[in-house]
Amino acid sequence: MQDSYRHKGLRRKLIESIQSKGIKDKAVLAAMNKLPRHFFMDKAFEEIAYQDKAFPIAAHQTISQPYTVAFQSEQLQIKPRMTVLEIGTGSGYQSAVLALMGARVYTIERQEELYQFANNMFKKLNLPQIRTYFRDGFNGLPEFAPFDRIIVTAGAAQIPDKLIRQLKIGGLMVVPVGEGVQTMMRITRISEKKVTCTALEEFRFVPFLKGTVSRK
């Protein structure tokens, strides 16, 4: 894996583009400027990896648009050593951004092919603060709950109650809700029974599906 001066220059331009769209969190921008996005994509996409676009990856999934990654990361308001549950590892790019921001990441992927790819990538990048699980994301990780933050990287038909119960009081969850086009929701758990929900921008994600898919 090579991260050339050209790659770094393209990455700086991408960060400038993201900033121009309103992303201000310096920790988000620094993490994304440091992380080679092309490592998480097929070699065929290397020359266009730093465009602000989503691209296909294995298992009929996508690597999210960089602006989307930055937006969700900024909304989480990460502080070092926070525990973050991520639903939908995908390529692993979002997990790595959060880890470089100082979070301890627990990430779940339902597609075994993607789970294996991301797990290997985290080892190559020396990111031991990311723990990966091949499971159904609808169930979360109750054995490690409660989490400071939860991020869902797939479009949920409705806000997942089971995940809210795994959020610390005072914690935040960021989840795209809706079918087709989703509204990004930021949910704050106020008490055992009370949450507040804030509707943010609209995005397009692959659907949040139940079950697991083993590698063929």
Side-chain angles (χ1 to χ4, degrees), residues 16-205:
E16 289 171 5
S17 171
I18 291 170
Q19 281 183 290
S20 73
K21 294 177 181 178
I23 301 300
K24 297 175 180 159
D25 189 314
K26 291 181 180 179
V28 173
L29 296 168
M32 293 182 68
N33 191 44
K34 183 177 181 181
L35 186 63
R37 188 181 187 227
H38 64 281
F39 286 1
F40 297 84
M41 300 166 65
D42 189 275
K43 188 81 173 170
F45 294 103
E46 186 169 346
E47 286 303 308
I48 54 175
Y50 295 101
Q51 294 181 15
D52 192 17
K53 295 179 180 178
F55 290 104
I57 55 173
H60 307 291
Q61 303 299 300
T62 59
I63 182 171
S64 292
Q65 178 185 357
Y67 172 74
T68 304
V69 172
F71 185 90
Q72 283 197 287
S73 300
E74 184 170 69
Q75 292 300 323
L76 286 172
Q77 302 171 22
I78 296 293
K79 292 183 175 62
R81 298 195 63 75
M82 278 187 169
T83 56
V84 180
L85 172 62
E86 179 189 37
I87 308 299
T89 314
S91 68
Y93 180 73
Q94 173 73 81
S95 315
V97 168
L98 296 173
L100 290 176
M101 290 173 67
R104 291 177 290 170
V105 183
Y106 296 74
T107 183
I108 299 175
E109 176 52 53
R110 67 183 294 270
Q111 295 276 356
E112 188 177 18
E113 183 177 5
L114 293 177
Y115 159 77
Q116 290 176 344
F117 172 85
N119 202 30
N120 289 334
M121 182 58 65
F122 300 148
K123 289 175 183 174
K124 289 177 182 176
L125 293 173
N126 191 27
L127 293 173
Q129 62 271 54
I130 305 175
R131 298 171 69 171
T132 53
Y133 299 86
F134 173 51
R135 295 195 192 179
D136 182 340
F138 272 82
N139 296 323
L141 289 171
E143 65 269 41
F144 297 112
F147 296 94
D148 295 299
R149 301 288 189 262
I150 298 177
I151 176 173
V152 180
T153 64
Q158 56 194 24
I159 295 170
D161 287 340
K162 191 174 281 190
L163 296 182
I164 288 177
R165 292 198 293 272
Q166 294 181 32
L167 191 61
K168 281 184 182 177
I169 293 171
L172 299 175
M173 177 162 71
V174 179
V175 52
V177 180
E179 297 179 5
V181 176
Q182 294 90 27
T183 300
M184 194 69 73
M185 304 294 295
R186 186 180 64 232
I187 296 154
T188 306
R189 190 172 189 188
I190 304 298
S191 66
E192 285 292 335
K193 296 183 179 180
K194 184 179 179 182
V195 300
T196 60
C197 301
T198 304
L200 305 168
E201 296 181 20
E202 291 188 342
F203 293 87
R204 286 182 180 271
F205 283 82

